[in-house]
Amino acid sequence: MEIGIIGLGKMGLNLASNLKDHGYQTKGMDLSEQARLAARREGIETYETISQMVASFTGKRVIWLMLPAGEITESVLKDLLPLVLPEDIVIEGGNSNYKDSIRRGKQFADKEVAYLDCGTSGGISGARKNACLMIGGNLNAFHSIEQIFKDVAIEDGYLYAGASGSGHFLKMIHNGIEYGMMQAIGEGFQLIEQSEYAFDLAAVAHVWNHGSVIRSWLMEIAEVQFSNSPHLEEYRGIVAASGEAKWTVETALEMDVAVPTIALSLFMRNISQEQDSFSAKVVSALRNGFGGHEIVTKTE
């Protein structure tokens, strides 16, 4: 089966390589020559424009977007819509607002093209080998390509979530929870760092990740980051917010549901733009560890 990936950045290239490893005829499109070159080194056929890539298919087209949410995704989908044909399938794997996914699903359905919103978790390493996927949209389309999701995901790591928008809705809530978890870990390690004891923070993360109630992948990342930088000396405590937690809080307000932990973790991201705390350094290090998110260092 032919699958085209639009967006060959950190997530897109790793997903394309994952698909290629599973025997799919994988091709990619990116405006960046550097990104296309990196993909070609992986044996992936590349194109400079969407129209070139779409025209290269010899049969049914499955086109998977891995782009930043917002204007970039909106613009690409606008360019893609006139090029696809009935029975084609478009998968949007970025962190889009679920309300945008509902609207886009209707636009593509008007052309008899299936649109699947695919919340994607697991970071760069997940995209490469063992993703966690939450898929919303056309059920028949999902069933027709379910094997693709099964192949690129970790065992039991994909879910058909329901109607259009449901996949990105789940990813939005997932990221809100993630904000709260990272903030709690960061605050805990700030207390440890500022205590009277000379703790080895990597050793603390290591033991907590063996049998404790709070063991997790985030704790694994904490151990790695503390091993590389025992007190996160080169980090500044400035942490960006992707927008997912903001949408989670806004949705909670619309639903009259209290989400104080997620809301406070979002506010702490905002506060981090103004002050330099150790807890924010930990959160920054965790984000860098799973998603390759850029960090602000002491030299910047």
Side-chain angles (χ1 to χ4, degrees):
M1 179 182 290
E2 297 174 276
I3 302 176
I5 304 294
I6 298 179
L8 296 170
K10 291 176 290 188
M11 292 293 288
L13 178 55
N14 279 289
L15 176 63
S17 298
N18 189 344
L19 288 162
K20 182 176 179 294
D21 287 350
H22 283 92
Y24 295 99
Q25 186 180 339
T26 309
K27 53 191 75 182
M29 175 270 159
D30 201 292
L31 293 176
S32 166
E33 172 59 29
Q34 184 177 359
R36 296 196 302 273
L37 179 59
R40 288 197 293 272
R41 289 196 193 105
E42 297 295 318
I44 296 165
E45 185 180 353
T46 66
Y47 298 88
E48 188 174 352
T49 68
I50 296 171
S51 58
Q52 289 172 347
M53 190 188 77
V54 171
S56 73
F57 281 77
T58 58
K60 178 177 178 177
R61 291 176 286 208
V62 176
I63 300 171
W64 197 327
L65 280 69
M66 292 300 291
L67 297 167
E71 292 183 10
I72 294 176
T73 294
E74 188 72 24
S75 175
V76 167
L77 287 170
K78 183 178 179 181
D79 291 341
L80 181 61
L81 185 59
L83 302 175
V84 288
L85 299 171
E87 307 301 323
D88 288 344
I89 297 175
V90 175
I91 306 168
E92 204 274 278
N95 283 332
S96 288
N97 189 300
Y98 77 98
K99 294 178 181 178
D100 288 333
S101 298
I102 294 171
R103 171 177 54 82
R104 293 163 181 165
K106 292 177 181 176
Q107 290 175 332
F108 279 83
D110 288 343
K111 285 200 64 175
E112 299 181 20
V113 174
Y115 184 90
L116 299 175
D117 51 285
C118 181
T120 308
S121 185
I124 298 170
S125 62
R128 184 64 184 86
K129 291 186 177 180
N130 50 10
C132 176
L133 306 173
M134 297 142 269
I135 305 116
N138 186 291
L139 179 58
N140 290 333
F142 166 77
H143 282 314
S144 73
I145 60 169
E146 182 175 0
Q147 187 62 46
I148 297 175
F149 298 122
K150 185 175 183 179
D151 285 339
V152 300
I154 194 170
E155 186 176 359
D156 295 328
Y158 73 95
L159 172 71
Y160 175 74
S164 285
S166 61
H168 281 149
F169 183 89
L170 282 185
K171 183 55 165 45
M172 176 184 73
I173 304 304
H174 165 284
N175 280 24
I177 294 169
E178 177 186 290
Y179 271 52
M181 292 173 67
M182 287 196 292
Q183 184 62 34
I185 291 170
E187 291 173 7
F189 275 105
Q190 179 164 344
L191 286 169
I192 294 168
E193 172 73 359
Q194 294 180 199
S195 75
E196 63 187 281
Y197 301 104
F199 288 111
D200 178 332
L201 301 185
V204 172
H206 180 81
V207 74
W208 278 353
N209 214 41
H210 287 77
S212 87
V213 172
I214 60 172
R215 62 188 182 273
S216 65
W217 185 37
L218 288 174
M219 200 60 70
E220 290 179 22
I221 294 171
E223 179 184 352
V224 171
Q225 297 290 50
F226 286 131
S227 295
N228 294 334
S229 179
H231 301 283
L232 305 182
E233 296 90 343
E234 76 274 25
Y235 284 78
R236 290 186 62 195
I238 298 176
V239 190
S242 65
E244 297 258 23
K246 179 175 180 287
W247 298 337
T248 302
V249 173
E250 290 172 345
T251 301
L253 291 171
E254 292 172 2
M255 298 171 65
D256 292 325
V257 175
V259 289
T261 301
I262 295 173
L264 287 173
S265 68
L266 172 63
F267 297 152
M268 289 304 296
R269 295 276 181 107
N270 295 336
I271 291 173
S272 79
Q273 306 300 312
E274 304 171 9
Q275 66 184 36
D276 193 23
S277 69
F278 190 78
S279 64
K281 291 182 183 182
V282 175
V283 174
S284 180
L286 292 174
R287 293 180 82 241
N288 175 257
F290 67 74
H293 299 285
E294 291 185 8
I295 61 172
V296 179
T297 67
K298 283 294 188 182
T299 59
E300 292 180 296

